[in-house]
Amino acid sequence: RWMPSEGALFGSISAPECYPCSAGYYGATSGLIHGKCSGQCIRGHFCEEGTVDPEPCPIGSRMPARGAPSNESCIPCAPGQYQPLTGQSDCLTCPAGSFSPDIGLAACDPC
């Protein structure tokens, strides 16, 4: 969460108003004073509005760019590719003698 300017209070004195970090950004520290918070979401992850720590894209997907605003931004691996780990920026190519017939797979099948 962030507050528009350092030292400023918005809302009542007993409950000052803070704003959630914008989608595509995360806020992992205190004292933030702008909507970009700690910075853009990192590659392989997504950050919905109010994210404190970037969330990893699921197994079988990738996110090559920074600033993904939602889980729907994660790109499923194409046929012939796979990704067994969460939070990755690239998919892996199936090794010789194997294949992945569908999108978004965590492993390749042997031929």
Side-chain angles (χ1 to χ4, degrees):
R1 296 195 166 270
W2 64 281
M3 191 165 282
S5 61
E6 201 167 354
L9 289 179
F10 293 86
S12 77
I13 297 261
S14 62
E17 234 179 281
C18 291
Y19 299 99
C21 296
S22 302
Y25 295 86
Y26 69 102
T29 60
S30 61
L32 300 170
I33 58 171
H34 54 78
K36 293 182 180 179
C37 293
S38 296
Q40 276 192 316
C41 202
I42 59 175
R43 289 178 181 88
H45 295 70
F46 64 94
C47 299
E48 295 178 338
E49 182 180 64
T51 296
V52 174
D53 294 311
E55 294 289 328
C57 286
I59 288 172
S61 69
R62 65 187 176 95
M63 175 39 64
R66 294 171 48 108
S70 69
N71 186 38
E72 289 79 26
S73 302
C74 299
I75 303 166
C77 295
Q81 297 180 330
Y82 70 107
Q83 183 47 263
L85 304 173
T86 62
Q88 301 301 303
S89 60
D90 292 306
C91 293
L92 305 169
T93 301
C94 289
S98 67
F99 71 103
S100 62
D102 295 317
I103 65 168
L105 296 180
C108 299
D109 296 325
C111 290

